[in-house]
């Protein structure tokens, strides 16, 4: 199979680069090889993280590709990291996770993912899973200076974490795309008070990136730092 690119016989599997459905299947297989009954990998509704089909839509709308540095702040077991590495083939895809159990599981998947991608002859971008709190100083250079796309599952953030996230956004370089699971404003703008409360939903609806969504029924929000 390896190196055999025949779309007539193999369909989407015949391309050297993963189509979204192929990337999803490979990621699912990799996780199926590392089972842990203490982790519910499919509980996306509860934890707010997009599932793989939704992540494919996000990649398309945000035009995530080989020129990007994608950072998943709080990557959990790393499913989105591996999917973006396969489907987006980013220059660099990095997941940051503080939890011991989730981090351990994410790193165990790495070898299976690479073997499956190699077996099917698929190209993928460089990826890494790092353990720590994305708000730590050691990640500041990565997030503020390198990242071109930032993903944050902030659905369950309390007021303190939301404020810390806003402060982080204030320091991002212009052009950085930010994907969140709950609206959050870019507090560098004059119409938002960085030291006090603000209506992030209202701000987002007035500043959203074309192609993004301000609909609260959707699971993600996309904006571009100006």
């Amino acid at each position: 199979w390896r190196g055999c690119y025949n779309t007539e016989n193999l369909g989407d599997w015949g391309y050297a680069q993963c189509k979204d459905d192929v990337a999803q299947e490979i990621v699912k297989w990799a996780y199926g090889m590392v089972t842990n009954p203490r982790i519910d990998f499919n509980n996306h509704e509860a934890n707010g993280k997009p599932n793989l089909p939704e992540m494919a839509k996000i990649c398309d709308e945000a035009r995530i590709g080989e020129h990007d540095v994608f950072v998943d702040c709080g990557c959990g077991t790393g499913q989105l990291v591996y999917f973006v590495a396969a489907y987006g083939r980013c220059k660099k895809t990095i997941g940051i996770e503080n939890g011991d159990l989730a981090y351990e599981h994410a790193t165990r998947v790495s070898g299976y993912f690479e073997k499956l991608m190699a077996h099917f002859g698929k190209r993928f971008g460089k990826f890494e899973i790092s353990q720590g709190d994305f708000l730590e100083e050691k990640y500041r250079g990565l997030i503020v200076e390198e990242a071109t796309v930032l993903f944050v599952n902030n659905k369950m953030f309390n007021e303190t974490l939301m404020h810390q996230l806003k402060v982080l956004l204030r320091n991002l370089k212009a052009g950085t795309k930010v994907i969140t699971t709950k609206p959050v404003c870019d507090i560098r703008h004059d119409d938002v008070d960085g030291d006090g409360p603000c209506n992030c939903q209202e701000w987002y609806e007035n500043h959203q990136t074309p192609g993004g969504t301000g609909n609260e029924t959707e699971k993600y929000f996309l904006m571009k730092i100006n």
Side-chain angles (χ1 to χ4, degrees):
W1 188 303
R2 185 174 182 178
C4 179
Y5 304 120
N6 187 329
T7 57
E8 183 177 349
N9 295 327
L10 299 175
D12 285 351
W13 287 90
Y15 292 95
Q17 298 178 345
C18 284
K19 299 292 186 180
D20 64 328
D21 56 338
V22 172
Q24 290 177 47
E25 287 300 315
I26 290 177
V27 171
K28 289 177 183 177
W29 287 341
Y31 277 83
M33 294 174 178
V34 183
T35 58
N36 190 324
R38 293 180 292 172
I39 302 177
D40 182 359
F41 300 107
N42 299 310
N43 194 13
H44 300 285
E45 294 289 343
N47 64 29
K49 205 124 183 163
N51 57 35
L52 296 184
E54 290 165 344
M55 196 63 209
K57 182 180 178 182
I58 292 172
C59 286
D60 292 340
E61 289 195 1
R63 298 182 180 180
I64 298 172
E66 297 178 358
H67 59 285
D68 284 309
V69 174
F70 181 94
V71 179
D72 185 347
C73 298
C75 69
T77 57
Q79 286 174 305
L80 299 188
V81 173
Y82 294 113
F83 177 78
V84 172
Y87 183 51
R89 297 175 300 280
C90 294
K91 180 168 61 176
K92 186 187 298 184
T93 302
I94 300 173
I96 303 171
E97 174 55 42
N98 202 29
D100 293 335
L101 182 60
Y103 169 76
E104 177 188 355
H105 201 89
T107 54
R108 288 179 62 198
V109 172
S110 174
Y112 293 102
F113 171 76
E114 290 182 314
K115 288 177 181 178
L116 284 168
M117 292 294 283
H119 173 74
F120 291 111
K122 304 304 178 188
R123 302 169 185 166
F124 58 96
K126 181 180 179 181
F127 66 88
E128 176 187 348
I129 305 290
S130 177
Q131 185 170 26
D133 185 335
F134 73 89
L135 293 171
E136 291 179 40
E137 185 64 26
K138 67 178 181 179
Y139 295 116
R140 182 177 177 82
L142 169 67
I143 293 173
V144 174
E145 299 173 11
E146 287 190 66
T148 59
V149 183
L150 197 66
F151 179 88
V152 186
N153 178 18
N154 63 323
K155 182 179 180 180
M156 305 302 293
F157 278 19
N158 59 28
E159 185 175 336
T160 299
L161 284 175
M162 282 293 286
H163 179 74
Q164 290 175 312
L165 178 57
K166 294 173 190 178
V167 172
L168 182 66
L169 294 185
R170 182 172 58 190
N171 292 285
L172 296 182
K173 66 177 184 287
T176 304
K177 297 171 185 175
V178 180
I179 305 160
T180 59
T181 52
K182 185 168 69 174
V184 58
C185 58
D186 174 4
I187 61 176
R188 294 182 303 180
H189 287 265
D190 294 336
D191 56 342
V192 177
D193 181 3
D195 297 320
C198 60
N199 188 331
C200 289
Q201 175 69 37
E202 180 181 353
W203 183 93
Y204 181 86
E205 290 174 351
N206 293 327
H207 295 83
Q208 62 177 298
T209 299
T213 174
N215 188 342
E216 286 189 331
T217 63
E218 296 288 350
K219 295 183 179 179
Y220 67 93
F221 300 85
L222 168 65
M223 71 174 176
K224 189 173 183 178
I225 300 298
N226 297 321

